[in-house]
Amino acid sequence: MSDMQTIQWFPGHMTKTKRQIQASLKLVDAAAEIIDARIPVSSRNPELNKLIQNKPRVILMNKCDMANQTATKMWIDHYARQGVTALAVDCKSGRNLNKFPAAVGAVLKEKTDRLKAKGMKNPTMRIMIVGIPNVGKSSFINRVAGQNRAKVEDRPGVTRGNQWFTISKNLEMLDTPGVLWPRFDDQIVGEHLAFTGAVKDRVVDTELLAVRLLDFLRRLKPAEFISRFKLEETDLDATPSYDLLQMIGKKRGMLIAGGEIDTERAAIMLLDEFRAAKLGRITVEMPGGELK
Ligand code: G4P
């Protein structure tokens, strides 16, 4: 698990982060916001729009290998209707990462055209990565910059220490991502972040979290979930989630002394399997059902 997951956000820390990101944003022409394709609402920073202001932006729906393909497509259409370019990517396999430079080029076209009209031949554009912890920012940078090991030298006007990678002709990326905080004030957001493992289990009660996940799964009824736990004969609508957790524990032989079911172990197993997409490619948040 990423070290970033252990970040604790305090007001002072948030102010400092905001200032640092604002300083980095001054150096770039566009921002790429990485989100988790399974939770496109909860994996966004609540203040990002304010921070980025009118800078062109690309949304990278990462971990699309674990999200429902139809849902991801619906989200991309949803963003397109808002005039925002989004790309589904998967940093595990590298899927679609080759489309990133063109997507950035498209959102920066107006700017590059303007500069070209002023006589600049091939203006170089710069971009930075932003996102909350655990969405895959480091994986993305390693993958994209990894193929372009030769770093661009520091130049005057660039904060010392910043490294830029040439990721395509006339496009450079800042090597360090802007790490932002998620929302704290919404219980549902907290739960969804915990489902995916973006926040640590110890801050939430594992059994309660598993029950909340089962509340969701028994409504959605993903085929892999049903077959994996042999729930074909179970009336999911009529079975309370805690009973379902017990059934799952029993089916997996998770017993403690006295023949009782070890629901704690069952909860951990359920969450692990969900996080590894073994219960199916599941998107938890759909467009339209956006949280307030
Ligand atoms: P961050 O910088 O935004 O905090 O995220 P990071 O790249 O550290 O990624 C967090 C976790 O998500 C890592 O797993 C990483 O491998 C995984 N990940 C990133 N992108 C993808 C993706 O597109 N698909 C899938 N399936 N997983 C992705 P980890 O368990 O924390 O570490 P490890 O398994 O890589 O050792």
Side-chain angles (χ1 to χ4, degrees):
M1 274 193 188
S2 145
D3 290 344
M4 293 301 186
Q5 270 179 278
T6 58
I7 287 181
Q8 296 290 323
W9 297 98
F10 300 107
H13 184 186
M14 285 159 69
T15 308
K16 192 173 160 218
T17 301
K18 220 188 284 187
R19 230 182 281 127
Q20 281 170 343
I21 291 181
Q22 274 163 338
S24 298
L25 279 167
K26 286 205 178 83
L27 309 175
V28 298
D29 304 285
E33 178 190 7
I34 305 201
I35 64 173
D36 185 324
R38 296 167 299 172
I39 46 167
V41 179
S42 299
S43 59
R44 298 186 79 174
N45 167 271
E47 290 191 37
L48 191 66
N49 285 342
K50 244 195 296 171
L51 272 169
I52 293 186
Q53 294 192 348
N54 296 324
K55 228 168 252 269
R57 165 221 310 224
V58 172
I59 293 181
L60 295 168
M61 300 186 73
N62 191 33
K63 311 199 184 186
C64 73
D65 55 309
M66 298 202 281
N68 178 279
Q69 281 164 292
T70 309
T72 301
K73 205 177 163 303
M74 284 169 74
W75 273 109
I76 289 175
D77 293 345
H78 171 82
Y79 295 129
R81 281 195 296 277
Q82 298 176 345
V84 177
T85 301
L87 198 61
V89 295
D90 158 11
C91 290
K92 215 144 217 181
S93 74
R95 188 169 170 268
N96 270 352
L97 293 182
N98 58 343
K99 294 190 182 147
F100 178 62
V104 178
V107 301
L108 282 168
K109 191 171 181 311
E110 216 173 283
K111 183 165 187 175
T112 44
D113 282 352
R114 209 165 50 233
L115 291 170
K116 280 180 189 166
K118 281 188 190 159
M120 208 183 268
K121 273 222 175 77
N122 283 311
T124 292
M125 294 285 115
R126 288 180 149 181
I127 190 157
M128 75 176 288
I129 304 298
V130 292
I132 67 163
N134 205 46
V135 287
K137 296 177 300 302
S138 326
S139 308
F140 180 84
I141 291 173
N142 287 340
R143 274 236 169 223
V144 172
Q147 304 148 8
N148 302 276
R149 278 276 167 232
K151 287 177 183 172
V152 177
E153 277 170 39
D154 263 358
R155 297 199 189 136
V158 174
T159 314
R160 194 174 288 279
N162 277 341
Q163 293 283 354
W164 298 89
F165 294 100
T166 301
I167 58 172
S168 72
K169 197 165 172 276
N170 305 322
L171 180 63
E172 295 174 3
M173 179 174 74
L174 187 63
D175 71 341
T176 35
V179 186
L180 289 153
W181 55 92
R183 272 178 75 161
F184 306 113
D185 58 349
D186 189 306
Q187 195 198 329
I188 303 290
V189 169
E191 265 174 23
H192 290 181
L193 287 166
F195 286 172
T196 62
V199 296
K200 277 198 183 300
D201 279 349
R202 60 180 163 75
V203 300
V204 284
D205 182 273
T206 311
E207 272 176 87
L208 192 63
L209 186 65
V211 165
R212 294 293 293 148
L213 179 60
L214 286 169
D215 285 344
F216 169 74
L217 292 174
R218 69 194 182 89
R219 257 185 289 132
L220 190 71
K221 304 180 180 59
E224 280 104 324
F225 163 71
I226 291 172
S227 62
R228 205 166 167 89
F229 297 125
K230 303 189 173 53
L231 297 168
E232 290 84 356
E233 305 300 316
T234 308
D235 182 354
L236 291 173
D237 295 313
T239 314
S241 295
Y242 189 75
D243 296 359
L244 202 53
L245 184 65
Q246 287 195 308
M247 281 173 65
I248 289 171
K250 195 172 173 190
K251 280 175 200 265
R252 289 281 172 102
M254 293 177 164
L255 304 177
I256 36 181
E260 244 178 88
I261 297 157
D262 190 345
T263 46
E264 170 84 26
R265 238 181 96 203
I268 294 169
M269 182 246 343
L270 180 80
L271 288 163
D272 280 351
E273 296 200 356
F274 175 80
R275 287 169 189 164
K278 288 182 183 158
L279 309 182
R281 291 176 61 164
I282 297 168
T283 299
V284 180
E285 297 165 348
M286 298 297 288
E290 285 185 57
L291 304 161
K292 293 286 169 305

